[in-house]
Amino acid sequence: MAASLIIVESPAKARTLKRFLGDSYDVRASMGHVRDLPEKTLSVDVDAGFKPTYEVVESRRKTLGELKTAVGGRNREVILASDPDREGEAIAWHLSEALHLRNAKRIVFHEITADAVRRALESPRDIDMNLVNAQQARRIVDRLVGYRLSPFLWSKVQKGISAGRVQSVALRLVVDREQEIRAFLPTESWTLDATFSKSGDDLRFKGRLVLRASEGEKSKLEVGTQAAVDALVKELEGATYRVVDIEEKRRTKSSPPPYITSTLQQDASSRLRYAPNRTMRIAQSLYEGVVLGAQGSTGLITYMRTDSTNIAAEADGKVRGWIKSELGDKYLGRPRTDKARASAQEAHEAIRPTDPTRRPESVRQYLKEDEYRLYEMIWRRFVASRMADAVYTGNQAEIQAGDLVFRASGVRLTFDGFYKVWERDERDDEAQLPQLAPGEVLEQHGLEPEQHFTQPPPRYSEATLIKELEERGIGRPSTYASIVTVIQARGYVEQRERRLHPTQLGETVNQVMVAHFGSIVDDKYTAAMEDKLDDIEKGGLEWATIVGGFYGPLERMLSAANEAMPAETGEECPECHEGQLVLKASRFGAFKGCSRYPKCKYRQAVTPTGEAAAPALLEEKCPLCDRPLQNRKGRYGEFVGCSGYPECRYIRREEKDEPKPTGQTCPQCGKHQLVERKGRFGTFFACAGYPECNYRANPPRKDGKPRAEPKLLDEPCPICGKPMVERRGRFGTFKSCSDYPRCKGPQGAKKTPVTTV
């Protein structure tokens, strides 16, 4: 009888299992999903209970053919060993359907080790259709959203864009945060610090003014203006600073729990600067197996898509034994019970090393650098989670001067505990207080008033957005990385200095979605849908009922949106009088445009509901036609234009910053001084006598070094006759006219490269 056939997803996983199982089993890889909904059609029969129509993925036809050959006759035992989650269960079911398997066995394991695989083979089960139906429900709901909403957005915003059930909520979070930042008004406040020392002691420490003694302990002293802080400084002139109270405290800090998917992605982003998708790719390779020399392919971590902090008793005992033998009893922590969220899959484990005694440095030679760094972080986090608390000893002193009370504090780490293996996030033991006694008079070495302003909420990073999604119950471990990736890939969000900024396209899409599909972009509604999918997985709900309950409201919202934003407005174009006005939207906002575009380019800005949004008229008159000017917004930003457009095309771009005098004389004309201006490409210096003198120069580089000034050449420009200059650009040295950009010689916009030796 032929050896049993085990089918897994990837070749790496197959290699690792083959090492454990030898020739007893034939291990093959399906390369992921072999069937899916076709891309070019909806493939969901709404009238037949949302029945999906699947087809073989084109790139998997050859693999599926090889698997059919490997299955052979009906007598061969087939074991499906895809990943232990909804997606893995769906892969197993699709394989069973595509290969026409009737008695296939299903095994699951959360780590790819010999013991875990052996235990799984000893207890096979049938395919769990509850898990499959939960995956199908998610897939069908997402397909309905994509196929019903995307065409609507194509017609109203921009062709080729898309909407998604969860990605739209993530986009709304980013846009809402941006709007909070724009609306934020800073509030001024002041602090007053004093530097102290004991009489004759060199150790100095700082205290901060916190309250007035006469107003009581609960009354915090608020200082809102410089005048108020100046009055306090004056009040302290000649004061005696006396210690009135000393308090010593002992506090502990518990170790963090082992990683789940979201916390792994967050820490990898903040500590290693890995994008969530990159983190999951690396974790996948560590899970599926890495070749460790003579040991062969070995899985180094447990399954990386999990929301449970549970740890198997065997692994817990093993790591505790390692801590006790390597670090000592005092570093061994008490058994812990981490509170999991309600939807957490308790059957799963946290992300941990498969062998806690396998230290990162022992396998470093076999790992790529990013694999090593991620494995080290997972190993340290897991070991730390089983270690003792860190212990801090702190003291706090209250120092009174007249009616004003300063507070100084110091803290030091007295027992490192889990910090023995886990890098500390803070260094709060650097401030130390000397031994002080109540009634002791201190020397004061200076007062430091400092102005502060309240700060707007920070923009999301990839890590903090994932944290926010998790806290709101949006998405699941298998989707966090793809959510954050897709809103950037669609051009709705861009990353600048590791912070997420909505693009104009993203804000327009969000504006339309909020106005017409409010429940779809509502975080509570989306979280409730995730809970319903979890209930399907547990067997508590029918998947078709949930899909139907989602589809009905979606159709009603879509119908209402089409009525509110019809393609045809029934209005005649006021410019050409031949076409009809059509309601559309662009990355710059909603507008009405002529149906004869591009022959007629008339357009008028409107609100997302279709109402005209006429630009505000100004009291200033147009210098060309005497009509009122108005504020407008175009692709290059805000500007002032004539209200008589398109008959009058006068525009004036507003300078956001007045020119700043530099005090230097212009080197070209010698009459006017240089001023600092801001242009489209940044700051530059120019002659205040422009346009009489067109001198301009770039500011020094960021490193402080002067920029190369154009070198005057002894040859005339062949176009205007003015001297040629040698300049340096981003692609090297080139020649151009000294009167550039008014003259683009010597060869139009092209510049002649200069060869330098």
Side-chain angles (χ1 to χ4, degrees):
M1 184 177 178
S4 297
L5 174 65
I6 296 180
I7 304 178
V8 296
E9 296 102 322
S10 72
K13 192 173 179 180
R15 282 194 301 271
T16 307
L17 260 66
K18 190 68 178 174
R19 185 177 74 81
F20 299 148
L21 303 174
D23 296 331
S24 304
Y25 294 88
D26 180 11
V27 187
R28 303 290 183 98
S30 71
M31 309 301 290
H33 277 280
V34 295
R35 295 199 314 174
D36 198 2
L37 298 173
E39 289 186 4
K40 295 183 179 179
T41 59
L42 178 62
S43 303
V44 176
D45 192 339
V46 175
D47 298 326
F50 303 98
K51 182 181 178 181
T53 301
Y54 296 106
E55 69 176 23
V56 174
V57 178
E58 189 60 37
S59 59
R60 299 290 180 268
R61 289 191 181 278
K62 182 179 178 182
T63 301
L64 193 61
E66 293 170 349
L67 290 175
K68 284 182 178 178
T69 303
V71 170
R74 295 185 177 182
N75 294 329
R76 190 174 194 188
E77 182 182 50
V78 179
I79 301 170
L80 304 172
S82 44
D83 288 343
D85 57 11
R86 291 176 192 165
E87 212 65 34
E89 204 73 18
I91 289 174
W93 179 72
H94 282 297
L95 280 167
S96 177
E97 293 292 306
L99 298 174
H100 307 292
L101 305 176
R102 293 294 171 262
N103 298 306
K105 296 178 180 178
R106 172 81 168 113
I107 63 171
V108 293
F109 37 83
H110 300 281
E111 58 180 286
I112 307 180
T113 61
D115 288 343
V117 174
R118 175 182 51 77
R119 286 193 296 269
L121 288 169
E122 290 173 355
S123 55
R125 60 169 174 80
D126 294 331
I127 291 173
D128 187 338
M129 288 307 298
N130 290 331
L131 279 171
V132 174
N133 288 335
Q135 190 274 346
Q136 282 198 110
R138 178 191 291 277
R139 187 76 181 91
I140 291 169
V141 164
D142 290 346
R143 172 56 65 96
L144 292 172
V145 170
Y147 266 71
R148 299 297 288 136
L149 289 192
S150 293
F152 175 82
L153 291 176
W154 291 4
S155 65
K156 309 302 181 189
V157 182
Q158 181 174 301
K159 196 162 186 177
I161 63 175
S162 70
R165 183 179 58 86
V166 181
Q167 78 179 48
S168 297
V169 181
L171 172 61
R172 184 177 185 178
L173 291 175
V174 176
V175 174
D176 285 353
R177 178 59 56 87
E178 193 70 24
Q179 290 172 348
E180 286 179 53
I181 293 170
R182 290 170 186 166
F184 179 80
L185 296 175
T187 303
E188 181 184 12
S189 64
W190 288 77
T191 56
L192 183 59
D193 292 344
T195 303
F196 302 109
S197 74
K198 295 181 65 168
S199 181
D201 194 342
D202 291 335
L203 178 61
R204 297 188 179 188
F205 59 95
K206 286 189 176 183
R208 175 158 293 181
L209 179 61
V210 290
L211 53 88
R212 283 189 177 277
S214 59
E215 295 178 359
E217 179 68 28
K218 295 182 179 179
S219 177
K220 184 180 178 183
L221 187 62
E222 301 285 351
V223 186
T225 63
Q226 184 171 1
V229 80
D230 289 343
L232 291 170
V233 171
K234 189 172 183 179
E235 184 179 343
L236 289 166
E237 288 178 0
T240 299
Y241 294 82
R242 190 183 307 275
V243 178
V244 294
D245 186 40
I246 294 288
E247 183 181 4
E248 291 194 358
K249 293 181 179 179
R250 180 182 181 274
R251 66 179 178 89
T252 60
K253 185 169 184 179
S254 300
S255 59
Y259 282 129
I260 58 176
T261 304
S262 59
T263 53
L264 176 66
Q265 291 174 355
Q266 290 163 37
D267 259 13
S269 177
S270 58
R271 290 171 177 263
L272 307 180
R273 301 210 163 195
Y274 292 171
N277 258 355
R278 181 183 180 187
T279 298
M280 296 310 289
R281 283 197 304 270
I282 300 167
Q284 183 91 30
S285 67
L286 294 174
Y287 163 71
E288 292 181 341
V290 177
V291 178
L292 304 180
Q295 298 179 51
S297 185
T298 303
L300 295 184
I301 65 170
T302 53
Y303 192 54
M304 62 284 162
R305 294 185 181 93
T306 177
D307 51 8
S308 171
T309 54
N310 283 348
I311 293 295
E314 180 184 352
D316 188 64
K318 207 168 185 178
V319 70
R320 288 180 177 280
W322 184 89
I323 294 169
K324 187 174 180 179
S325 63
E326 295 293 325
L327 304 177
D329 287 343
K330 66 178 182 178
Y331 283 99
L332 192 60
R334 297 187 304 273
R336 64 186 296 157
T337 53
D338 296 308
K339 185 178 180 181
R341 75 181 196 185
S343 62
Q345 302 177 57
E346 296 301 313
H348 288 192
E349 274 197 79
I351 303 170
R352 61 167 176 84
T354 54
D355 182 359
T357 65
R358 187 183 286 119
R359 300 190 61 161
E361 50 268 30
S362 70
V363 294
R364 183 167 193 169
Q365 60 180 315
Y366 307 113
L367 303 180
K368 299 173 184 175
E369 183 61 23
D370 53 4
E371 291 175 333
Y372 169 75
R373 295 180 71 193
L374 191 66
Y375 177 69
E376 181 187 38
M377 198 173 74
I378 293 170
W379 183 88
R380 291 187 183 280
R381 176 81 166 220
F382 175 59
V383 174
S385 73
R386 266 49 200 168
M387 291 178 67
D389 296 346
V391 180
Y392 291 90
T393 300
N395 52 358
Q396 182 174 281
E398 288 195 350
I399 303 154
Q400 190 165 340
D403 192 36
L404 299 175
V405 178
F406 289 80
R407 187 169 289 156
S409 60
V411 64
R412 62 188 178 90
L413 183 68
T414 53
F415 175 60
D416 54 359
F418 70 92
Y419 285 132
K420 187 80 172 176
V421 299
W422 185 247
E423 182 184 357
R424 294 171 60 192
D425 294 318
E426 74 285 330
R427 287 289 181 268
D428 54 2
D429 61 333
E430 295 175 358
Q432 299 290 313
L433 295 186
Q435 289 293 326
L436 300 173
E440 185 173 1
V441 176
L442 302 177
E443 293 183 5
Q444 185 255 92
H445 299 279
L447 296 172
E448 298 176 26
E450 186 176 356
Q451 184 184 35
H452 306 274
F453 289 95
T454 52
Q455 297 298 311
R459 291 182 177 87
Y460 290 109
S461 64
E462 290 184 326
T464 56
L465 181 57
I466 287 172
K467 184 178 181 180
E468 186 74 18
L469 292 171
E470 182 191 27
E471 289 177 350
R472 292 175 183 246
I474 300 165
R476 288 298 182 260
S478 59
T479 61
Y480 294 136
S482 61
I483 293 169
V484 173
T485 301
V486 75
I487 59 174
Q488 296 178 71
R490 300 290 186 198
Y492 301 155
V493 172
E494 61 186 10
Q495 201 169 167
R496 294 184 228 146
E497 297 179 348
R498 295 175 55 79
R499 294 289 170 177
L500 300 176
H501 297 248
T503 61
Q504 286 183 306
L505 176 61
E507 293 198 51
T508 300
V509 170
N510 180 71
Q511 193 178 37
V512 172
M513 291 294 293
V514 170
H516 302 292
F517 305 96
S519 62
I520 291 179
V521 292
D522 180 71
D523 59 333
K524 293 183 177 60
Y525 179 84
T526 305
M529 173 60 73
E530 296 289 355
D531 291 338
K532 289 175 182 177
L533 294 173
D534 291 339
D535 288 339
I536 295 172
E537 182 177 317
K538 296 170 186 174
L541 292 173
E542 288 292 328
W543 73 268
T545 304
I546 298 305
V547 175
F550 177 85
Y551 183 72
L554 172 65
E555 285 297 294
R556 288 192 290 274
M557 285 186 284
L558 191 60
S559 176
N562 277 314
E563 289 181 10
M565 294 184 72
E568 296 287 342
T569 65
E571 301 175 36
E572 182 184 85
C573 174
E575 183 169 328
C576 69
H577 303 290
E578 294 182 31
Q580 295 290 315
L581 292 187
V582 230
L583 190 61
K584 294 196 171 189
S586 72
R587 56 167 39 178
F588 306 109
F591 69 94
K592 289 179 182 177
C594 182
S595 59
R596 296 179 63 244
Y597 179 86
K599 290 182 179 178
C600 176
K601 296 184 179 180
Y602 175 82
R603 59 190 291 164
Q604 178 188 18
V606 297
T607 65
T609 56
E611 299 172 356
L617 294 176
L618 304 177
E619 293 182 2
E620 188 179 354
K621 299 294 185 180
C622 172
L624 299 183
C625 69
D626 209 34
R627 292 171 176 155
L629 295 179
Q630 58 188 7
N631 288 317
R632 291 184 173 274
K633 187 175 182 181
R635 63 184 304 179
Y636 298 118
E638 295 180 356
F639 66 94
V640 172
C642 181
S643 59
Y645 179 86
E647 288 87 359
C648 177
R649 295 179 178 269
Y650 172 81
I651 64 168
R652 182 184 73 234
R653 299 211 173 267
E654 296 293 301
E655 285 280 356
K656 293 186 178 179
D657 297 285
E658 290 296 322
K660 298 178 183 177
T662 64
Q664 301 177 29
T665 303
C666 173
Q668 183 166 303
C669 68
K671 295 190 297 182
H672 306 285
Q673 69 167 319
L674 293 181
V675 292
E676 183 180 326
R677 293 181 178 273
K678 283 189 177 179
R680 184 176 170 191
F681 301 107
T683 304
F684 64 94
F685 297 123
C687 181
Y690 180 84
E692 177 188 334
C693 174
N694 64 352
Y695 176 83
R696 61 180 290 162
N698 292 323
R701 303 188 321 192
K702 291 182 179 179
D703 57 10
K705 296 180 180 179
R707 297 182 185 271
E709 291 294 328
K711 180 182 177 183
L712 200 63
L713 301 177
D714 190 18
E715 59 179 283
C717 171
I719 294 178
C720 69
K722 292 184 179 179
M724 295 287 289
V725 292
E726 182 179 299
R727 302 179 186 270
R728 180 173 293 277
R730 60 185 299 190
F731 301 114
T733 306
F734 63 92
K735 290 181 182 179
S736 71
C737 179
S738 58
D739 198 23
Y740 179 84
R742 286 191 291 187
C743 175
K744 294 183 170 61
Q747 297 180 5
K750 297 180 181 179
K751 301 172 181 62
T752 307
V754 177
T755 304
T756 57
V757 179

